[in-house]
Amino acid sequence: MGFDVTRFEGEVDEELVCPICSAVLEDPRLAPECEHAFCKGCIVEWIGHQPTCPVDRRTISALELKPVPRILKNLLYRLEIRCDNDQYGCTAVVKLDVLPIHLKECEHNPKKPVACVQGCGQTVPKDEMKEHNCVRELRLQVREQNDRIQKFTQEMSDMRYALTEQKREIHLLKEIVKAMRSSNPNARALTDQMEDDDVVRWAHTLPRARVTRWGGMISTPDAVLQAMIKRSLKESGCPSHIVSELMENAHERRWPAGLQTLETRQMNRYYFLT
């Protein structure tokens, strides 16, 4: 799995050759005790069949393998190697450490991505350009896009159905609770008392506030402000039934007659404050 020795300029030291594949080391690893070096791919595959060093048969595992010393890396990086694309006409000879960079930029690389010259805007491997069909590829893109849209639409439909079912169950539960409270006055009184206790406990946790602008404090918020207020109430520990009632009566059309206009609120502010 290493680099073919014949691709290198000059002689290659045998210490830089993998004992398993007899090629120049690629991504080398050392055995833990004997420190024999192997290509990572070679030694991992070897250990998968036989957990011993191929040279001296000492027992090793893949977890015990370690990187080679810097000096060995430097010796490998100084080697000069011919480009992988020499069979396609590339005559470049580069240092081993810059080979990956060269391959990405090599004009002779058959897999180098190039833009379609026919105008479809796609990028395809160079060796596939002759077989490239703009209409076919665009149709494939449209089909894939439609599949994604259909999948998303189905997910949204499933989500809406789930929400509808949840709302139906909640409504049914409310009706059951209402019926139980109507049929059993004691249970209704107990529920009311528990809700009142929840409100008192919540109120005692809140800091006192000074009302300086009565009309502004209770003026109708828009949808964004209502959402912010609802979130703040929940974060403060407000009982859920109080949050629901406050949000249901947030708009002034649900307020008592004496509060429906700013003028009446200002005229009666002392009455309401007391």
Side-chain angles (χ1 to χ4, degrees):
M1 296 183 186
F3 301 98
D4 189 346
V5 177
T6 60
R7 292 179 55 192
F8 291 85
E9 296 290 319
E11 295 184 3
V12 177
D13 193 299
E14 62 179 7
E15 295 296 328
L16 305 180
V17 175
C18 174
I20 299 176
C21 66
S22 299
V24 174
L25 294 168
E26 181 178 7
D27 193 12
R29 291 294 185 271
L30 283 182
E33 296 183 9
C34 58
E35 296 190 345
H36 291 119
F38 311 92
C39 298
K40 180 181 179 180
C42 294
I43 189 61
V44 169
E45 182 179 351
W46 178 281
I47 292 175
H49 296 87
Q50 186 175 347
T52 59
C53 173
V55 178
D56 57 20
R57 302 302 177 183
R58 294 188 183 185
T59 301
I60 57 174
S61 68
L63 295 177
E64 294 176 322
L65 298 174
K66 56 185 181 181
V68 297
R70 180 178 294 275
I71 186 171
L72 184 56
K73 286 185 179 180
N74 291 339
L75 291 174
L76 283 169
Y77 290 160
R78 290 173 186 168
L79 295 176
E80 294 186 340
I81 185 173
R82 291 194 297 276
C83 176
D84 294 22
N85 304 314
D86 60 343
Q87 59 180 316
Y88 301 108
C90 182
T91 59
V93 177
V94 298
K95 299 289 186 181
L96 186 59
D97 59 336
V98 299
L99 180 62
I101 299 175
H102 169 75
L103 290 176
K104 289 182 179 180
E105 302 175 351
C106 181
E107 295 297 330
H108 299 274
N109 183 2
K111 295 298 181 182
K112 181 180 179 180
V114 293
C116 174
V117 296
Q118 299 178 24
C120 72
Q122 286 196 317
T123 301
V124 296
K126 187 177 180 180
D127 60 348
E128 298 178 14
M129 183 58 70
K130 292 182 179 179
E131 305 297 328
H132 175 66
N133 184 305
C134 296
V135 176
R136 181 186 60 206
E137 295 298 330
L138 290 175
R139 283 178 177 172
L140 179 60
Q141 283 190 7
V142 171
R143 189 180 304 115
E144 293 175 349
Q145 184 69 17
N146 287 336
D147 291 342
R148 286 194 291 268
I149 292 174
Q150 290 178 3
K151 181 179 179 181
F152 177 75
T153 303
Q154 183 62 44
E155 291 175 353
M156 292 296 295
S157 177
D158 293 342
M159 187 178 298
R160 284 195 295 268
Y161 176 77
L163 289 174
T164 301
E165 286 298 303
Q166 288 182 0
K167 289 181 179 179
R168 187 183 64 80
E169 292 175 0
I170 292 173
H171 177 73
L172 179 61
L173 182 60
K174 286 183 178 179
E175 292 298 322
I176 293 174
V177 172
K178 185 184 297 185
M180 292 177 61
R181 292 176 64 180
S182 300
S183 61
N184 190 341
N186 294 330
R188 179 176 182 179
L190 179 60
T191 302
D192 291 341
Q193 184 60 48
M194 292 175 62
E195 291 181 350
D196 291 343
D197 292 343
D198 289 340
V199 174
V200 171
R201 280 194 295 269
W202 170 62
H204 286 165
T205 65
L206 301 176
R208 289 184 175 274
R210 180 183 178 187
V211 179
T212 58
R213 296 176 58 192
W214 180 247
M217 287 294 291
I218 61 174
S219 60
T220 306
D222 59 23
V224 176
L225 288 177
Q226 285 185 22
M228 294 174 60
I229 292 171
K230 184 175 182 179
R231 184 173 65 251
S232 299
L233 287 171
K234 288 183 176 180
E235 292 175 352
S236 71
C238 180
S240 58
H241 66 282
I242 297 297
V243 174
S244 300
E245 290 182 11
L246 289 173
M247 292 300 101
E248 289 175 0
N249 296 285
H251 197 280
E252 60 187 15
R253 63 174 173 267
R254 300 291 298 273
W255 295 352
L259 298 177
Q260 287 183 349
T261 66
L262 177 60
E263 182 179 358
T264 56
R265 292 199 297 271
Q266 291 290 356
M267 290 176 62
N268 296 281
R269 63 183 181 276
Y270 294 111
Y271 170 77
F272 291 118
L273 285 171
T274 58

